[in-house]
Amino acid sequence: MTTEHTHDTHDHAGAHASDHHDDHDHKPTGFMNRWLFTTNHKDIGTLYLVFSLIMFLIGGSMAMVIRAELFMPGLQLVEPDFFNQMTTMHALIMVFGAVMPAWVGFANWMIPLMVGAPDMALPRMNNWSFWILPFAFTMLLSTLFMDSGGPAAGWTLYPPLSLQTGQSFAFVVFAVHMMGVSSIMGSINVIATILNMRAPGMTLLRMPLFVWTWLITAFLLIAVMPVLAGAVTMLLTDHFFGTSFFNAAGGGDPVMFQHIFWFFGHPEVYIMILPAFGVVSEILPTFSRKPLFGYAAMVYATASIAFLSFIVWAHHMFSVGMPLSGELFFMYATMLIAVPTGVKVFNWVSTMWKGSMTFETPMLFAIGFVVLFTIGGLSGLMLAIASVDLQYHDTYFVVAHFHYVLVPGAVFALMAGTYYWLPKWTGNMYSEKWGKIHFWLSAISVNILFFPQHYLGLAGMPRRIPDYSTQFADFNMLSSIGGFIFGASQLIFVGVIIHCVYRSKVKATSRVWEGAKGLEWTVPSPAPYHTFDVPPPINAQTVAHADEYDH
Amino acid sequence: MKKSNIVIVTLAVTAAVAAAFWLLLVAPAFTGNEINLTRGVTDFAQKNYELHMVVLWICVVIGILVFSAMFVSIFLHRKSRGYEAAQFTHSTKAEIVWTIIPVLILVIMAVPATRALIHMEVAPETEMTIKITGFQWRWRYEYLEDGVDFISSLQADSNAARRLASGVDPETVDNYLLDVDKRVVIPVDTKIKFLITADDVIHAWWVPALGWKRDAVPGFINEAWTEVKEPGVYRGQCAELCGKDHGFMPIVVEAVSKEDYAAWVQSQQDQLAVEKREAERLWSLQELMDHGQEVYATQCATCHQADGEGLAPAFPALAGSTVTTGPIEAHIKVVLDGVNGTAMPAWGGMLSETDIAAALTYTRNAFGNETGDLVQPRTIVRIKNG
Ligand code: HEM
Ligand SMILES: [Cu+2]
Ligand SMILES: [Cu+2]
C-alpha cells in the first residue's frame, strides 16, 4: 500500500502543490481498505480522534456513576467495591483512552500539515499503533464483566492492594502493556517525522509551538512508558508467579512501586498537558491577530518543564515516610516548576495584550484554558509545600487540583483544537452558536463541579471514598449537580461535530480564520488526501511564529 | 475613559477571586460546617494552617494580577471596538522580570515551608509510644509503655446505616462514619511517638487536628509524633485507598488531662485482668454463642458478611465451609494465624482468647453449620502458649 501511495505521490506532485483540486484524492475504496489498512496520516488521525471521543464518553459515564453515588451521604446505588472499580476505570480510560490518544490524533493530523511533510515518517507503524488501542481497551473494559471484577485499587495500582485483584488483573496488565507499545510507536513516529520530514527552510525554531510541544512530549513518552511497563510487569509476576518485588514478607518493598510509578506518573501528567500548551499557543495569536509573545521563551519553558518533570515524582509521596532531605529536595524541585509554568501563562496574557481579539469558540475555550489551568497550577503550588501536603494529600483538594489541570486544562485545549481545525478537517464550518453554548455550559458547570471540591478537601474529606460524613453533604451535592450538567453538555459537543461533518452547508475557506497563520492554512479545506507532495515554500507568510520573522 | 475601564475590570476580577476566597473564611458561620483547613490543636497543625493561609494569599494575589490583566485586555483589545493589533513579539525586560519575581516569591515561601517540615520530621524526645497498625478495615492501637492493646472499628450505628440502601438516614446517626467503638485516649501536653505500620495493604492514619497524615505500610514502620494542647475529641479517617471499606475505617482521638489518662489506663488494665480470669473459666454454649455473635458482627462480618455467605471471589463463605465444619484444630489455626496472601488477618495477636473462642463457636454453629462444637477460651489460651 505504501509503495502505491509513494508512487502516485510522484505522479501528481506538481498538480497538488500549485492549484488546489481535491478530485484526485485516490482514497482507497471500501471500508476495510480505507480504515483498517490505512497508512494515511489524516485517516489515522481521524481514527484516533473518534476513538478517544468514544472513550471520553465511556469514561464520562463512569464519572456520572461516581457523582451520582456521591450526590448525598449514604450508599444508594452501588456497592463500595464497584465504586472503586468505577474510580479506577474512569481514570485509566480518561488518561490512556481519551486524553493521550486524542493528542496522538492531533499529532497525526496536524504535524505533517504544520511542517510541510507529505505524511508521517513511518506510515505502517502508524496504522499499527492505532489499531492496537481498540483491542487494549476492549480487554481492559472486559474485566468489568469478569467474576473477579475490574481493577479497584485506583489508577495508581499501588500494591499490595492491587495484588488483591482477582484473575482479571492479568488482563489489566496486558492492556497497559499494549497501550504502552502503542504510545511508544506513536512517539517514535512523531520524532522521526519532525526531525526528518520538515520542508526545507522549516528550521526547528520556525516550527509551530504545537509541533515543539509534541516533540518534547514524544521524548517524555519514550522515556517513561517503558518504566510503567516494567512496574506493571513486576506486579504481574508478584501476583501470579510468586516473586516478591513489592512484598515485604519476601524481602520486597511496596513503596518502591510508588517511586517507580511516579517516575512515570509525573512526566505522564505533562504528557497530557504539553500538547495542550501547544494548541493554546496556536489559537491565542490567531484570534488576537498578533504574533505569539516570546516564542523562544515558550520553547525553552516547555523544555525546562519537561526536564523538571523527571525530578519531582516524590511530591506524590510526602506522607509515605521519606528522609527529611528527600522531602526538602522534592519540595524545592516541585516549587521550581511554577517558574516556567508562570512564564507560559504570562506570555499567553501578553499575546492577548493589545491584540485585536474576536471570540469564536476556539478562542473561548483557549481563554477558559488559560484561566482555569492557572487555578490548577496555583493549587499545585500549594500542594508542593510538603508539610501542608501532609494535610492536603489524598483529599478532595488534590482531586480538585488535578481535575482543574486536566479537564478545563487538557480537555478544554482538546476542544479548542477541535473547533479550531474542524473546518480544515471536514471542509465545513461548525455551528458557532452551538459551539458557544457548549463552551458556556461547560465552563460554568466545570467550576460548579470542581471548585467546591477544594473546600471539601480542606475540610477533611478523603478521596476515593463512596460515602462521607454528613458535614460534607452540601458541597458534594453541588459538585454532583455541576457534574451532571457538564456531562450532559458534552453531548452538545458530539452533536456539533456530527452536524459539522454531515450536515453543515457552510463551506470553509482555506484560511478559515482571518488571523490564522501557518502551513496548514495554505492547503484547501478539507485538506486533500495527500498534501505537500512537493515541499511548500517557507516564508514569513507561511511560518506561524518564529522570532526572526517578526520584525 | 480608558483608565476607568481598566479600574472597573480589575475591580470585578478582584471581587470574583476575593469572593471565592472569602467564602472559605465566612462559610462556617452560615452553614455550620468548616470549609477551610483546620487550625488544629498542635503547634505543628497551627504552623501548617498559617503556612497554608500565606501560600493561599500569595496565590490569590497572583491570580488577581494575572486575571485582571487578561480581562482588561479582553475588555479593551477587541476587534469589535475597532482596536488595531500591535505587533510586538517579545520584551526581554518583561520576561526577565517575570522570571525573577516568581523565583523570589518562591524563596520567600521556601523559608517557612522548610521550617515547618523540620518541625515535623525531626522528632523531639518523646514520653510515650503508641503503635498503630492498619488492617482491612480497622485500626489496632498498642500502648507500648502502658500495656493497653485494642482494636478500634466503625461504630455500630454508622456501620448499619452505611449499607447499600439501608433505609437509615445518615443525618440521624451521630458523627456518621466518623465514630468508633473504642477511642484512642491520649494525655494532653505530652510528647507522644506513633509507630505506624500495616498488616495487609497500605493505609494512612490521618487526624486533621494533629496536622499530618502518615502512611501505614506493611512490613515497614513509620514514625510520627504529636503533642496535643487542648483536651477534646478529634476525628479523622484512613486516607489511603485500602479496598472496599476504605471509607469506613475512622479514627477518633480523645485527648484528656494526664490524671484522666492515668485513670483510663488503670481501667483498661483492670478490664484486661477480668478478661484473663474469664478466659480460664468454663463457658456454656449459649454464652459463647451470644458473645460470638457480637464479635462476629464487629470483626468478621465486613468480609464474610452477616449471613456467613461471604463475598465471592475474595471473601469465602463460612456457611457450610470445609473449615468451619471440618476439624477444629485446623479451624483454630486459620483464625489465629490468618491466611497468607489474603485479607484474612492473624487474629491471634489482636483479639482476646475469649473473643476468639466465642467467634469460633459461633461460626461452627450459626448459618446452618450446626456442628454442636464448643471451643473453650482456655483451649485457645493453651494453644497460644504452645
Ligand atoms: C505548577 C504546576 C504543578 C505543580 C506544582 C503540581 C503539584 C502537584 C503535587 C504536589 C501533587 C501531589 C498532591 C498529593 O497527592 O498530595 C499533584 C498531584 C497531581 N497533579 Fe499536579 N502539579 C502541577 C501541575 C499539574 C499538571 C499540569 C497536571 C496535569 C495536566 C497535574 C496533574 C496532577 C495529577 C493527575 C495529580 C494526582 C495524581 C494522583 O494522585 O492520582 N499537575 N500535583
Ligand atoms: Cu506530580
Ligand atoms: Cu484506607
Side-chain angles (χ1 to χ4, degrees):
Chain A
M1 289 227 32
T2 322
T3 12
E4 226 171 78
H5 281 174
T6 338
H7 182 70
D8 63 40
T9 286
H10 288 298
D11 278 1
H12 295 277
H16 276 301
S18 46
D19 64 325
H20 301 301
H21 58 128
D22 40 350
D23 49 335
H24 281 292
D25 267 357
H26 298 288
K27 289 193 182 80
T29 47
F31 184 81
M32 296 288 264
N33 278 338
R34 172 77 193 272
W35 298 109
L36 193 63
F37 301 132
T38 182
T39 53
N40 179 288
H41 74 101
K42 301 185 182 83
D43 280 354
I44 294 176
T46 305
L47 286 171
Y48 266 110
L49 290 170
V50 171
F51 175 80
S52 68
L53 186 60
I54 294 170
M55 286 296 138
F56 180 59
L57 296 175
I58 295 178
S61 22
M62 293 173 178
M64 295 299 108
V65 174
I66 296 170
R67 279 319 322 170
E69 181 53 69
L70 292 173
F71 188 73
M72 52 191 212
L75 292 179
Q76 292 83 24
L77 301 173
V78 296
E79 288 286 355
D81 187 58
F82 187 73
F83 181 90
N84 291 346
Q85 293 179 32
M86 286 291 104
T87 54
T88 305
M89 277 291 192
H90 160 72
L92 290 172
I93 298 275
M94 286 305 199
V95 169
F96 295 102
V99 175
M100 290 171 69
W103 286 130
V104 184
F106 273 85
N108 263 292
W109 251 105
M110 301 318 299
I111 288 177
L113 283 180
M114 288 175 134
V115 300
D119 202 317
M120 296 293 279
L122 309 159
R124 290 176 188 215
M125 190 164 89
N126 206 10
N127 171 296
W128 196 25
S129 53
F130 171 75
W131 278 109
I132 285 178
L133 287 179
F135 294 94
F137 283 90
T138 307
M139 200 151 89
L140 181 64
L141 284 166
S142 71
T143 60
L144 286 174
F145 304 99
M146 294 179 187
D147 278 351
S148 55
W155 80 288
T156 47
L157 298 175
Y158 282 4
L161 183 63
S162 59
L163 300 175
Q164 290 184 353
T165 318
Q167 303 298 314
S168 66
F169 192 63
F171 291 80
V172 178
V173 170
F174 287 137
V176 172
H177 281 153
M178 287 165 74
M179 296 165 202
V181 170
S182 161
S183 293
I184 290 170
M185 292 199 299
S187 319
I188 291 174
N189 217 340
V190 166
I191 294 174
T193 306
I194 297 176
L195 295 186
N196 298 312
M197 307 269 292
R198 278 170 288 127
M202 177 57 79
T203 57
L204 286 177
L205 280 173
R206 286 179 189 164
M207 296 194 311
L209 216 69
F210 177 70
V211 179
W212 257 115
T213 53
W214 238 117
L215 179 63
I216 293 170
T217 302
F219 279 106
L220 287 183
L221 272 167
I222 290 183
V224 301
M225 290 313 285
V227 177
L228 174 68
V232 296
T233 307
M234 287 187 269
L235 286 180
L236 185 79
T237 60
D238 270 13
H239 192 309
F240 295 101
F241 306 116
T243 56
S244 293
F245 290 109
F246 308 125
N247 173 6
D253 180 355
V255 175
M256 185 173 72
F257 177 87
Q258 301 185 15
H259 284 289
I260 302 172
F261 180 88
W262 288 113
F263 186 81
F264 146 81
H266 190 80
E268 169 66 24
V269 307
Y270 284 96
I271 287 165
M272 293 188 278
I273 204 71
L274 293 186
F277 291 170
V279 166
V280 168
S281 305
E282 303 301 329
I283 292 174
L284 290 177
T286 296
F287 296 96
S288 304
R289 292 167 183 74
K290 185 166 160 285
L292 181 71
F293 185 89
Y295 169 86
M298 289 300 233
V299 172
Y300 298 133
T302 310
S304 8
I305 291 175
F307 169 74
L308 287 173
S309 76
F310 282 108
I311 55 166
V312 297
W313 76 87
H315 65 210
H316 297 271
M317 304 165 55
F318 284 136
S319 69
V320 89
M322 262 188 291
L324 175 63
S325 51
E327 293 190 325
L328 287 174
F329 172 82
F330 286 107
M331 174 169 80
Y332 299 148
T334 305
M335 291 166 76
L336 218 49
I337 288 203
V339 177
T341 312
V343 167
K344 296 221 147 231
V345 173
F346 301 143
N347 282 6
W348 287 323
V349 174
S350 310
T351 302
M352 294 163 66
W353 189 257
K354 297 204 166 168
S356 174
M357 279 185 268
T358 50
F359 302 92
E360 290 86 342
T361 312
M363 182 64 161
L364 290 177
F365 272 101
I367 292 175
F369 170 93
V370 177
V371 174
L372 301 175
F373 171 80
T374 302
I375 294 179
L378 291 171
S379 61
L381 184 59
M382 297 174 70
L383 291 167
I385 310 297
S387 78
V388 198
D389 185 63
L390 296 180
Q391 292 277 41
Y392 304 141
H393 177 64
D394 264 331
T395 68
Y396 261 82
F397 192 79
V398 177
V399 177
H401 157 69
F402 67 73
H403 281 98
Y404 262 86
V405 285
L406 287 172
V407 182
V411 173
F412 268 27
L414 281 166
M415 290 170 176
T418 305
Y419 284 111
Y420 187 51
W421 284 307
L422 201 54
K424 177 58 61 192
W425 297 337
T426 63
N428 302 328
M429 294 306 285
Y430 61 86
S431 158
E432 196 61 57
K433 177 179 142 205
W434 283 100
K436 284 189 172 142
I437 294 175
H438 173 221
F439 169 76
W440 284 109
L441 279 174
S442 300
I444 294 168
S445 60
V446 85
N447 283 292
I448 302 175
L449 167 57
F450 294 122
F451 208 83
Q453 296 185 356
H454 290 114
Y455 299 138
L456 285 172
L458 292 178
M461 179 171 162
R463 66 191 281 206
R464 293 169 166 166
I465 56 176
D467 192 6
Y468 46 82
S469 104
T470 51
Q471 82 204 66
F472 305 126
D474 301 346
F475 280 113
N476 268 298
M477 190 174 287
L478 190 62
S479 178
S480 288
I481 291 171
F484 300 144
I485 303 175
F486 185 80
S489 310
Q490 303 324 308
L491 301 178
I492 300 177
F493 184 49
V494 178
V496 172
I497 294 173
I498 292 176
H499 168 265
C500 177
V501 175
Y502 296 109
R503 287 254 178 281
S504 171
K505 302 243 161 24
V506 191
K507 295 289 161 216
T509 60
S510 306
R511 185 153 302 274
V512 183
W513 313 108
E514 186 188 33
K517 273 185 116 194
L519 284 176
E520 77 263 38
W521 310 108
T522 62
V523 303
S525 305
Y529 205 57
H530 300 290
T531 34
F532 299 132
D533 299 338
V534 240
I538 304 296
N539 54 44
Q541 267 64 53
T542 52
V543 171
H545 23 243
D547 281 358
E548 54 182 307
Y549 280 127
D550 294 335
H551 305 290
Chain B
M1 196 56 199
K2 257 188 176 173
K3 259 204 187 119
S4 66
N5 284 337
I6 296 182
V7 173
I8 292 169
V9 177
T10 312
L11 284 179
V13 173
T14 311
V17 179
F21 181 62
W22 169 80
L23 201 57
L24 268 187
L25 307 173
V26 302
F30 293 120
T31 64
N33 294 331
E34 186 58 68
I35 60 167
N36 194 4
L37 197 61
T38 170
R39 275 170 209 272
V41 290
T42 64
D43 278 340
F44 176 69
Q46 270 149 19
K47 268 194 188 136
N48 255 351
Y49 172 81
E50 280 154 24
L51 195 51
H52 157 76
M53 289 312 285
V54 167
V55 180
L56 183 57
W57 266 115
I58 292 176
C59 289
V60 166
V61 171
I62 296 174
I64 289 178
L65 291 176
V66 173
F67 298 151
S68 302
M70 203 168 138
F71 282 102
V72 164
S73 178
I74 288 175
F75 192 71
L76 294 177
H77 308 143
R78 40 170 75 218
K79 199 182 168 199
S80 58
R81 294 174 66 118
Y83 198 88
E84 292 274 331
Q87 291 298 319
F88 61 85
T89 61
H90 58 259
S91 151
T92 313
K93 216 187 284 165
E95 290 177 76
I96 289 175
V97 168
W98 63 52
T99 310
I100 303 283
I101 292 184
V103 172
L104 293 180
I105 296 175
L106 290 179
V107 171
I108 293 169
M109 274 165 49
V111 175
T114 306
R115 274 209 205 106
L117 201 57
I118 291 173
H119 177 104
M120 175 67 201
E121 299 297 356
V122 184
E125 281 287 304
T126 48
E127 298 152 71
M128 61 178 276
T129 310
I130 301 177
K131 183 177 170 210
I132 302 173
T133 311
F135 61 105
Q136 288 170 321
W137 288 274
R138 276 172 286 272
W139 296 99
R140 175 183 183 186
Y141 300 96
E142 293 164 87
Y143 292 63
L144 297 191
E145 291 86 359
D146 297 322
V148 179
D149 180 352
F150 59 89
I151 293 174
S152 171
S153 327
L154 182 64
Q155 186 267 344
D157 293 340
S158 286
N159 202 15
R162 62 113 171 162
R163 303 283 157 189
L164 182 59
S166 67
V168 184
D169 179 2
E171 301 281 352
T172 63
V173 180
D174 275 350
N175 292 305
Y176 178 61
L177 298 188
L178 291 180
D179 208 3
V180 293
D181 53 359
K182 288 188 187 136
R183 295 173 171 182
V184 197
V185 177
I186 58 169
V188 292
D189 298 323
T190 308
K191 293 189 175 61
I192 302 169
K193 178 170 11 187
F194 296 103
L195 300 176
I196 303 172
T197 185
D199 238 19
D200 35 38
V201 302
I202 302 175
H203 305 262
W205 198 82
W206 181 35
V207 177
L210 305 189
W212 50 265
K213 64 178 65 70
R214 180 111 312 167
D215 290 3
V217 183
F220 292 80
I221 294 180
N222 268 328
E223 283 187 24
W225 72 279
T226 198
E227 180 179 1
V228 176
K229 296 190 295 190
E230 293 163 34
V233 178
Y234 308 112
R235 295 171 198 277
Q237 276 174 276
C238 177
E240 177 68 53
L241 178 61
C242 57
K244 75 178 177 70
D245 285 352
H246 161 58
F248 310 105
M249 48 186 293
I251 297 156
V252 181
V253 170
E254 183 176 356
V256 297
S257 69
K258 289 183 177 173
E259 299 75 50
D260 289 352
Y261 175 73
W264 178 79
V265 169
Q266 192 56 50
S267 75
Q268 294 295 303
Q269 279 163 352
D270 291 348
Q271 203 182 322
L272 216 60
V274 172
E275 270 171 27
K276 274 230 169 77
R277 230 175 306 122
E278 285 284 281
E280 286 304 328
R281 77 172 171 89
L282 277 179
W283 287 57
S284 74
L285 180 63
Q286 196 51 50
E287 277 179 312
L288 283 170
M289 286 298 282
D290 289 347
H291 185 55
Q293 188 166 17
E294 264 169 51
V295 176
Y296 185 84
T298 50
Q299 310 293 350
C300 322
T302 21
C303 296
H304 298 292
Q305 306 302 301
D307 58 4
E309 290 299 336
L311 256 189
F315 308 119
L318 300 186
S321 109
T322 50
V323 178
T324 49
T325 57
I328 296 191
E329 290 70 34
H331 188 186
I332 295 177
K333 201 171 148 40
V334 165
V335 174
L336 287 183
D337 301 341
V339 182
N340 231 336
T342 73
M344 178 72 177
W347 295 100
M350 295 191 289
L351 296 180
S352 75
E353 289 80 4
T354 310
D355 290 349
I356 290 176
L360 282 162
T361 308
Y362 178 72
T363 49
R364 293 187 76 81
N365 293 290
F367 326 126
N369 285 350
E370 316 288 354
T371 57
D373 294 334
L374 185 155
V375 184
Q376 285 294 345
R378 59 211 264 181
T379 314
I380 305 296
V381 176
R382 226 159 307 121
I383 292 178
K384 275 176 77 174
N385 295 342

